[in-house]
Amino acid sequence: MTIRKAVIPVAGFGTRFLPATRSVPKVLIPVLDRPPLHLAVEEAARAGVEHVVLVVSPDQQSVADYFTPKPAVEDALERRGNHALLGQMRDIARTVDVSCVTQHEQLGLGHAVLMAREAVDDEPFCVLLPDDVIWSDAPTIGSMAEHHDSLGGPVIAVKRVPDEAVPSLGIVDVRDASGPLSRIAGMVEKPRLEDAPSNLAIIGRYVLPPRIFDALENVAPGAGGEIQLTDAIAALLPTEAAHAYEFPGVHFDVGTPLGLLKASVHDALRRPDTAAEFRRWLAETL
Ligand code: G1P
């Protein structure tokens, strides 16, 4: 795989999760017991990414701390013989390099990605939005990177969504579908339903060429007055063939408390350490 670097934007006020986000960044509020940030980094690492760049806000030291080795905790787990958890702790801290860049102003997703320009430099890279949790056999971002290797140009994860979700997402207009891939003819951020070209929504996984940074420098503020990644990718379309990828697997938007709860329930129902007891309790409760 040619994609070595991943950008994960995590800055943001997390207003939907107040009061918890008064002191805990949203990306660290767990799905069952693993934070969305952990799941995103794990997906990137499983795809072979070597370096993760976190775009954080100035007060998010706890996000950087999450990935530093924890020798005291590791020793305690070792003494108690909890090798499974120990393995998980070590893996996330040691399989990828994690660095942080600071976004001082919240000017939109496109602006957050632009903050990683120097760290990414002149090579294709991927972006994972931790609010979008995707569980599938193969890491979604890895499959997308493979498609990028053969097709070139941006590859963007998409999913069909109901009408009511359209105005809060990026929407693509596609042509020439072949299996899960189709060519993107246009894309628009948070359209009104009557203006949307389809119900195919962008889900937070992107493989992008480094030229996106020039597009991000030049794009005008779009939906919500923010610098939108969607608009910058759209600006590349006349010169770069971009593809939409309808990924297999289960997706949850954990950017709302209810979405986070649904993802936790899904996880608890399938995990061997929780499934039986949780299923019993759920059946009794219902
Ligand atoms: C962002 C993107 C949007 C995409 C969405 C997926 O929106 O701008 O195109 O559909 O993530 O989660 P946000 O959730 O930041 O409003």
Side-chain angles (χ1 to χ4, degrees):
M1 194 178 80
T2 52
I3 305 298
R4 301 187 307 131
K5 294 181 183 170
V7 175
I8 304 186
V10 304
F13 299 122
T15 41
R16 289 189 181 119
F17 283 89
L18 282 168
T21 44
R22 285 169 62 94
S23 69
V24 182
K26 181 180 71 170
V27 288
L28 295 182
I29 299 179
V31 177
L32 196 51
D33 56 5
R34 281 171 304 162
L37 179 60
H38 183 115
L39 297 173
V41 171
E42 198 170 61
E43 181 181 329
R46 281 177 64 210
V49 163
E50 296 162 17
H51 187 159
V52 171
V53 183
L54 305 177
V55 183
V56 300
S57 51
D59 58 349
Q60 287 183 325
Q61 184 54 37
S62 57
V63 171
D65 284 349
Y66 188 88
F67 295 97
T68 56
K70 306 276 178 288
V73 185
E74 290 174 17
D75 286 352
L77 289 174
E78 185 106 60
R79 279 198 305 279
R80 289 180 207 160
N82 192 340
H83 296 293
L85 199 50
L86 184 62
Q88 263 190 41
M89 293 260 305
R90 284 192 172 145
D91 285 354
I92 201 66
R94 299 199 178 128
T95 47
V96 281
D97 283 336
V98 177
S99 63
C100 293
V101 295
T102 304
Q103 183 188 21
H104 289 279
E105 291 171 290
Q106 310 282 305
L107 300 180
L109 175 61
H111 179 258
V113 172
L114 184 56
M115 297 299 101
R117 180 172 203 159
E118 211 174 298
V120 169
D121 205 12
D122 196 22
E123 58 183 283
F125 66 103
C126 59
V127 175
L128 297 94
L129 306 186
D131 274 356
D132 288 306
V133 168
I134 305 175
W135 281 303
S136 59
D137 293 339
T140 301
I141 202 67
S143 308
M144 292 169 62
E146 280 164 22
H147 291 308
H148 167 85
D149 284 352
S150 52
L151 296 162
V155 180
I156 295 157
V158 297
K159 169 184 163 179
R160 233 161 259 289
V161 297
D163 284 355
E164 59 272 22
V166 163
S168 54
L169 295 165
I171 301 293
V172 293
D173 184 13
V174 295
R175 304 273 185 278
D176 311 328
S178 141
L181 288 167
S182 30
R183 199 171 49 78
I184 297 179
M187 49 205 298
V188 49
E189 183 65 21
K190 298 185 176 53
R192 293 188 311 179
L193 183 58
E194 52 273 33
D195 300 332
S198 76
N199 280 56
L200 268 187
I202 299 169
I203 302 300
R205 301 290 182 279
Y206 309 77
V207 178
L208 298 169
R211 281 210 315 128
I212 194 69
F213 292 120
D214 287 338
L216 284 168
E217 297 268 13
N218 293 313
V219 78
E226 297 188 336
I227 306 288
Q228 297 291 351
L229 183 57
T230 302
D231 296 344
I233 302 170
L236 296 184
L237 292 178
T239 51
E240 298 233 11
H243 289 84
Y245 174 61
E246 274 189 81
F247 54 93
V250 195
H251 161 251
F252 290 94
D253 172 4
V254 302
T256 65
L258 190 57
L260 188 81
L261 179 62
K262 288 178 187 171
S264 296
V265 167
H266 177 86
D267 205 20
L269 285 172
R270 69 182 189 147
R271 264 175 46 175
D273 56 335
T274 48
E277 187 182 338
F278 185 57
R279 199 172 283 278
R280 230 182 355 260
W281 175 82
L282 203 54
E284 276 166 29
T285 305
L286 294 173

